Amino acid sequence: MSERWLPQTEHEHAVMRVLTSIRAVSDAMERMHSGMKGDMDMNASDVAALRLLIIRERQARSVSPRDIARHLRISTASTTKLLDRLVDSGHVERRPHPSDGRGRVVVLTEDARNAFFRVFGERLRAMRTVALEYDETELAVIARFLDDLCGAMDPED
Amino acid sequence: MSERWLPQTEHEHAVMRVLTSIRAVSDAMERMHSGMKGDMDMNASDVAALRLLIIRERQARSVSPRDIARHLRISTASTTKLLDRLVDSGHVERRPHPSDGRGRVVVLTEDARNAFFRVFGERLRAMRTVALEYDETELAVIARFLDDLCGAMDPED
DNA sequence: TCAGATTGCTAGATAAACTAGCAATACCTC
DNA sequence: GAGGTATTGCTAGTTTATCTAGCAATCTGA
């Protein structure tokens, strides 16, 4: 994931190691999510949509079907079907948008929240346990690095 | 991505910030990859398989159709079709396994390597530039943290 | 040596994405 | 305001990618 560039100095080697580790974490995350499609009898997109809803809910930001389409990079038609599945399975509800008559607001049901944390809870705890091994100064450096990286990777969303 | 657990101390807040950032990086990575399906006229699985091949090649480890099926969590039947697509598009070749008559070894073509870096090269450079801002000590801490996290998330692969 | 696993494949069914086009609503410019 | 233009979420029909089941060939271990 960072070839055609051969690290020369020790500093550059350290850079390469970090980028390799980032890739590994990212892959582990992806497998964790795709593992959920088994655990929750759902496909990857549906899980990704659920995750978006969980995250936005924490930020007190509403989610429209359009937002889901953009985030998952699928068409609005596919998003309609996706929402139909999630509504049928009782994970979300469609509500009218308070100010835009065309739009909808998609909200999680309590069942969906419970199911999500039943599946993810254990791994989230494991991740927290790892992070707690690091002191505040270290965590601050790590968080800053990750945020910088995020900015470099994709300036949108 | 880490709720139903309210951070109390400043240390716990730092932990939560880091886990939030990790999720953001992971999502950015996912969007970067799914963006590739547009850039390279490919679907997400095909790109993921290509990435596996790139990574394993660097490690001088061979990749079988079975490996791809396991890594992507899809059936071997789907993997056969996936490989058919990649072979047809000239990205990979199937070779006989040197010691196991049942198996195959999947290898990248030079075209695939070129296409991959044409699409990813710029972003990889941007990521390296970010990482170079950090000194070796910081990078070491970050890498160790990421590896620890990876172990906590999924012990396999 | 031979019973049981494993590998990669085919065939057919199912699921999930796509494109095109719709009515309803919002926005912008006169 | 009134008109045209954009946007939203939906339906319909098509295409693509997955799945399950089962196959022959090969490997492994008792």
Side-chain angles (χ1 to χ4, degrees):
Chain A
M1 181 104 198
S2 33
E3 329 42 23
R4 317 230 148 166
W5 168 78
L6 288 178
Q8 309 285 334
T9 65
E10 194 46 50
H11 191 194
E12 285 172 353
H13 272 287
V15 164
M16 202 187 67
R17 275 193 295 274
V18 163
L19 294 184
T20 300
S21 298
I22 274 281
R23 181 192 47 68
V25 166
S26 199
D27 277 7
M29 203 77 123
E30 213 166 314
R31 274 198 304 280
M32 179 166 131
H33 296 150
S34 91
M36 198 169 172
K37 72 187 170 195
D39 299 336
M40 287 185 76
D41 191 34
M42 253 186 205
N43 68 43
S45 301
D46 294 10
V47 173
L50 222 54
R51 286 198 301 126
L52 177 66
L53 285 162
I54 296 264
I55 291 157
R56 290 289 190 86
E57 190 173 74
R58 285 187 58 207
Q59 303 168 344
R61 294 168 62 193
S62 68
V63 176
S64 67
R66 185 88 240 179
D67 291 334
I68 295 175
R70 260 193 293 262
H71 187 79
L72 305 189
R73 298 185 197 277
I74 60 177
S75 65
T76 59
S78 303
T79 304
T80 297
K81 298 288 201 95
L82 183 153
L83 287 174
D84 288 345
R85 288 192 296 272
L86 290 180
V87 167
D88 287 349
S89 62
H91 289 102
V92 308
E93 287 174 17
R94 285 182 174 103
R95 302 256 177 87
H97 191 285
S99 62
D100 186 335
R102 300 164 302 178
R104 300 271 182 283
V105 171
V106 181
V107 296
L108 287 167
T109 63
E110 184 58 22
D111 279 358
R113 276 185 285 267
N114 290 336
F116 187 88
F117 291 110
R118 196 174 329 115
V119 173
F120 269 107
E122 173 125 23
R123 272 178 281 211
L124 288 173
R125 258 190 303 281
M127 289 168 72
R128 274 199 300 269
T129 303
V130 164
L132 278 168
E133 302 278 319
Y134 293 76
D135 67 36
E136 283 181 53
T137 314
E138 290 171 326
L139 291 172
V141 170
I142 295 164
R144 188 164 55 87
F145 172 78
L146 294 171
D147 293 343
D148 287 356
L149 201 61
C150 214
M153 290 172 68
D154 112 320
E156 46 178 325
D157 198 69
Chain B
M1 179 106 197
S2 34
E3 330 40 25
R4 316 229 147 171
W5 167 79
L6 288 179
Q8 308 286 334
T9 65
E10 195 47 51
H11 190 195
E12 286 172 352
H13 271 287
V15 164
M16 199 186 69
R17 274 193 296 274
V18 162
L19 295 184
T20 300
S21 298
I22 274 282
R23 180 192 48 67
V25 166
S26 200
D27 277 7
M29 203 76 124
E30 213 166 314
R31 274 198 303 281
M32 180 164 129
H33 296 150
S34 90
M36 200 168 171
K37 72 187 171 197
D39 298 337
M40 288 185 75
D41 192 33
M42 255 184 203
N43 68 43
S45 301
D46 294 9
V47 173
L50 222 54
R51 287 198 301 127
L52 177 66
L53 286 162
I54 297 261
I55 291 157
R56 289 287 190 87
E57 191 174 73
R58 287 186 58 206
Q59 303 169 342
R61 294 166 65 193
S62 69
V63 176
S64 67
R66 185 88 239 179
D67 291 334
I68 295 174
R70 261 193 292 262
H71 187 79
L72 304 190
R73 299 187 200 273
I74 58 178
S75 65
T76 60
S78 303
T79 304
T80 297
K81 298 288 202 92
L82 182 152
L83 287 175
D84 288 345
R85 288 193 296 271
L86 290 179
V87 167
D88 287 349
S89 62
H91 290 103
V92 308
E93 286 174 18
R94 284 180 175 103
R95 301 257 176 87
H97 191 284
S99 62
D100 187 334
R102 300 164 302 180
R104 300 269 183 283
V105 171
V106 182
V107 295
L108 286 167
T109 62
E110 184 58 22
D111 279 357
R113 277 184 286 269
N114 290 337
F116 188 89
F117 290 110
R118 196 176 329 116
V119 173
F120 270 106
E122 172 124 24
R123 271 176 282 210
L124 288 173
R125 257 190 305 281
M127 289 168 73
R128 275 198 299 270
T129 302
V130 164
L132 277 167
E133 302 277 321
Y134 293 75
D135 67 37
E136 284 179 53
T137 314
E138 290 171 327
L139 291 173
V141 170
I142 295 164
R144 187 164 56 84
F145 172 78
L146 294 172
D147 293 344
D148 287 355
L149 201 61
C150 213
M153 289 171 69
D154 116 316
E156 47 180 323
D157 199 69

